[in-house]
Amino acid sequence: MEVDKVVHLPRLSRVAVCGGTHGNELSGVYLVKELLKAKNVMKEDNDDEERPASVLMVLSNPWAMQQCRRYVNTDLNRCFTHAALSGPVSKKDPYEMIRSKELNALLGPKGSPEAVDLVCDLHNTTSNMGLCLIAYSDCDWICLHIFRYLQRQMPDIPMRYIHLDVSSKESYSLDSVGKHGFAMEIGPQPHGVVRSNIYTTMKHGVQHVLDWVRFYNSGTVFEGGFVDVYTTVKNMDYPRDSETGNITAAIHPQLQVQSEMYLHFFIY
């Protein structure tokens, strides 16, 4: 995508970095815990023009984290539609439905002027896909410029900007609560473990995101240019038995590595 004009957007006064939306994707869990312990992540400055954004560090799904599971009752990263968030609260509701309303109260309400300006939701994948930003929009200037900045600051890390095209359906994941938002997904890393190189990549990526926000809020003008955006062409399921619905095939070994990035969309 080519950006060929100057766009002026409001300051990003409130930013949220979330980890543990899926409780067994541990890089984000441990990174947010580390950032919560650090008292000098972002220091206040006396100059209002240079003052950094308020950064919220959020552990999204504590119960799933405790059990090292993707979720307890239902996938939290599917619980942020307006219909789900506006429903009445009941003790009989799945835990993640209750938690989504708590997060919406903390970071939103979704779609309102009070919502945080930017949500960065941290994920891991078993796919060998490097660092990917996954967003609902393919023309969000904030997300696109952050991605270009990451590419320049981390040139040795394979990166892709993935447009999660839900077409007529409503956005449903945690990052959709903010005015701007994306998932930062990094792999390969098995669920339930932390790989040092993947954790370090995520840590550097998050720090560069926060650096970009600071530069942006201080009035830095960023150059336009090209951004390659990957989007969904079609969904292809595995062959299945017509009677039982069971999967009857696997990815051929010669295609496995080439296909891993695309197979990822089955689980996001």
Side-chain angles (χ1 to χ4, degrees):
M1 177 175 294
E2 185 177 6
V3 179
D4 57 2
K5 60 182 178 179
V6 177
V7 178
H8 299 279
L9 296 170
R11 281 172 57 92
L12 303 177
S13 299
R14 298 175 64 219
V15 176
V17 178
C18 305
T21 302
H22 293 143
N24 59 357
E25 298 174 13
L26 298 187
S27 291
V29 172
Y30 281 95
L31 178 55
V32 170
K33 286 182 177 180
E34 178 183 342
L35 295 176
L36 284 169
K37 290 181 179 179
K39 296 180 180 180
N40 59 345
V41 174
M42 300 190 75
K43 297 182 178 179
E44 293 294 334
D45 194 290
N46 291 328
D47 187 343
D48 288 342
E49 294 300 320
E50 295 293 333
R51 184 174 297 166
S54 171
V55 181
L56 301 172
M57 303 294 175
V58 180
L59 292 169
S60 307
N61 196 337
W63 284 17
M65 289 161 44
Q66 291 174 5
Q67 300 176 44
C68 197
R69 297 169 57 182
R70 181 178 174 91
Y71 55 81
V72 177
N73 299 126
T74 190
D75 194 332
L76 178 61
N77 219 31
R78 304 293 186 274
C79 294
F80 292 93
T81 62
H82 284 287
L85 295 173
S86 62
V89 178
S90 169
K91 293 182 180 180
K92 297 181 180 180
D93 288 341
Y95 166 69
E96 280 82 8
M97 293 297 295
I98 297 172
R99 181 59 176 158
S100 69
K101 293 181 174 67
E102 295 173 350
L103 292 169
N104 187 54
L106 175 66
L107 304 178
K110 178 177 178 177
S112 74
E114 292 75 30
V116 296
D117 297 296
L118 177 67
V119 175
C120 173
D121 190 25
L122 305 176
H123 289 264
N124 290 120
T125 176
T126 57
S127 298
N128 185 17
M129 57 189 287
L131 186 157
C132 291
L133 295 194
I134 304 174
Y136 288 102
S137 173
D138 60 354
C139 58
D140 185 313
W141 306 121
I142 296 295
C143 297
L144 290 169
H145 272 294
I146 288 174
F147 179 72
R148 290 193 77 234
Y149 184 76
L150 288 173
Q151 285 182 309
R152 293 179 177 180
Q153 297 301 314
M154 305 171 69
D156 297 329
I157 303 299
M159 293 190 191
R160 298 175 182 88
Y161 187 102
I162 299 175
H163 173 214
L164 189 63
D165 185 5
V166 294
S167 301
S168 60
K169 298 179 181 178
E170 184 190 353
S171 55
Y172 48 72
S173 57
L174 173 57
D175 54 276
S176 70
V177 173
K179 296 183 180 72
H180 307 274
F182 55 82
M184 179 185 292
E185 183 138 3
I186 306 178
Q189 178 172 282
H191 297 319
V193 303
V194 178
R195 283 183 171 171
S196 176
N197 61 322
I198 301 299
Y199 177 84
T200 301
T201 297
M202 180 175 285
K203 182 176 181 179
H204 290 167
V206 169
Q207 189 57 60
H208 288 313
V209 170
L210 298 180
D211 287 345
W212 185 91
V213 171
R214 177 170 56 86
F215 294 144
Y216 170 82
N217 284 343
S218 67
T220 300
V221 176
F222 299 95
E223 293 182 2
F226 289 94
V227 174
D228 291 327
V229 175
Y230 292 81
T231 191
T232 304
V233 176
K234 63 178 178 178
N235 295 319
M236 294 182 61
D237 194 7
Y238 289 93
R240 294 179 181 272
D241 183 273
S242 58
E243 295 182 0
T244 65
N246 293 330
I247 293 174
T248 59
I251 300 298
H252 193 281
Q254 293 180 2
L255 297 177
Q256 181 66 49
V257 175
Q258 292 88 339
S259 302
E260 280 178 335
M261 173 185 167
Y262 303 98
L263 290 175
H264 153 80
F265 285 110
F266 286 97
I267 62 172
Y268 171 71

